[in-house]
Amino acid sequence: MRSLTARRVSAFAAIGLLWVAGCGSHPSYPKARLKASLQDLFQEEGLNVSVRFIDHTIAVKVEHPGAIVAASNQVEPGPGFDEAVRKSLTILHRVLLSTDADVRFYVLLLADPTVQGAYLTLVRYMDDIRRANANMLDTPEMFARTILEPYVLGPEPLTIERYVPRDIQLEEFLSWQLARRIQYALAQELQAQGLADVGRCAGEFRNGEFAFTLDIAPPINRTLDDATMQHAFAASTQVISKVLSSYQFDKFTAVRLIHPSTGRNVVLPKASLQLLR
């Protein structure tokens, strides 16, 4: 399954940084009515919505005609995507920036009632939203911190409870974000130079360790030499060090970089990454 096209990503970036800051000493949307407030506001905009509030995570599933198109196992934004996302993010930011609830992440699951089993998902960290609102993050960086993914399940409908079964943790979010940023960096530095073909990179956090799988393959009729692999590991390390430093996240022991096809497995202790900052 391929990612969103560059044209549609640009369209999303143009509308994806909407926020409405709250004012006053009392929260406009108290925690006790947070879920109900979101449901009411989405319904006022004519959006079919289901809301899940679990610990520090708000998850919203929005069904909107024309929001997505799906063909050949590929999901992309449809003609109604911009309107659905604009309305949804405006409501989410309006409420989450004006509540006393400790919401740290929100998930937007966008569906089309005419397209069964296909979805677009968006995940954001509320501290990133606040920093962008204070002009501490520019648009490209904010977009890089956004998880935007197509998702194909099949004919079975997906409930918000199934998609977001528990609270999202920062280390999980960072592993997802870093995997995408590593993939982008490798595409820019290796694929654009004809040194390697770059596929989807994966990331996870387990037992205090980040692990990233690098999907790098040699171009046709070529091999991956050691210099190219060293370049890939160095570029990935730089991305990881920069992002973890920007989040001031140090609750990990090591970072592991894995290249399955060659069996290369590099472990970087936390101290070695800190030296790069």
Side-chain angles (χ1 to χ4, degrees):
M1 179 167 54
R2 293 182 292 174
S3 299
L4 303 177
T5 64
R7 179 178 65 83
R8 296 305 304 184
V9 166
S10 297
F12 169 78
I15 66 172
L17 292 175
L18 299 169
W19 50 74
V20 180
C23 300
S25 58
H26 299 288
S28 301
Y29 302 97
K31 179 180 179 179
R33 281 197 46 80
L34 181 60
K35 181 177 177 179
S37 297
L38 284 168
Q39 290 172 328
D40 291 344
L41 289 170
F42 273 95
Q43 289 171 3
E44 287 176 10
E45 289 290 347
L47 295 173
N48 184 11
V49 66
S50 56
V51 180
R52 178 168 170 78
F53 181 20
I54 177 169
D55 295 331
H56 307 291
T57 301
I58 282 286
V60 174
K61 179 184 177 183
V62 175
E63 291 188 282
H64 187 69
I68 60 175
V69 294
S72 302
N73 205 37
Q74 180 177 345
V75 182
E76 290 197 352
F81 172 82
D82 289 359
E83 179 184 12
V85 172
R86 175 181 56 79
K87 289 181 177 180
S88 297
L89 295 186
T90 299
I91 292 169
L92 280 167
H93 294 178
R94 171 183 173 183
V95 172
L96 299 183
L97 290 172
S98 305
T99 182
D100 57 344
D102 183 15
V103 176
R104 300 173 191 174
F105 294 94
Y106 69 74
V107 180
L108 174 62
L109 183 62
L110 192 61
D112 187 322
T114 66
V115 181
Q116 295 299 314
Y119 309 89
L120 284 174
T121 62
L122 182 152
V123 185
R124 276 178 166 169
Y125 182 41
M126 280 304 300
D127 189 59
D128 289 338
I129 300 298
R130 295 185 184 93
R131 293 177 68 184
N133 203 22
N135 296 319
M136 296 172 66
L137 299 175
D138 60 18
T139 299
E141 177 61 21
M142 186 61 222
F143 187 63
R145 293 175 179 230
T146 299
I147 309 300
L148 180 65
E149 288 291 317
Y151 184 81
V152 176
L153 177 67
E156 183 181 355
L158 181 64
T159 65
I160 197 66
E161 290 79 13
R162 179 181 171 188
Y163 189 74
V164 186
R166 57 176 177 78
D167 192 29
I168 295 173
Q169 302 298 312
L170 179 56
E171 51 267 34
E172 291 179 295
F173 175 76
L174 289 174
S175 69
W176 305 335
Q177 181 189 144
L178 279 165
R180 287 148 185 80
R181 294 178 81 136
I182 290 169
Q183 180 177 329
Y184 178 79
L186 295 180
Q188 294 292 306
E189 299 198 22
L190 299 182
Q191 187 161 303
Q193 306 301 320
L195 299 174
D197 294 330
V198 179
R200 184 181 180 87
C201 297
E204 67 173 349
F205 185 86
R206 182 182 299 174
N207 299 324
E209 180 182 272
F210 285 104
F212 299 100
T213 302
L214 310 184
D215 185 358
I216 307 170
I220 297 176
N221 299 323
R222 295 184 60 180
T223 60
L224 285 177
D225 57 27
D226 188 65
T228 300
M229 288 304 306
Q230 291 296 334
H231 188 174
F233 288 138
S236 301
T237 301
Q238 289 288 342
V239 170
I240 294 166
S241 176
K242 178 182 177 182
V243 172
L244 293 182
S245 176
S246 70
Y247 279 91
Q248 299 182 339
F249 185 83
D250 61 1
K251 296 178 182 179
F252 68 102
T253 58
V255 171
R256 186 181 300 270
L257 300 176
I258 305 163
H259 187 237
S261 63
T262 61
R264 299 283 292 269
N265 194 315
V266 176
V267 179
L268 306 166
K270 178 170 66 174
S272 66
L273 285 174
Q274 292 173 332
L275 291 175
L276 297 174
R277 298 179 180 178

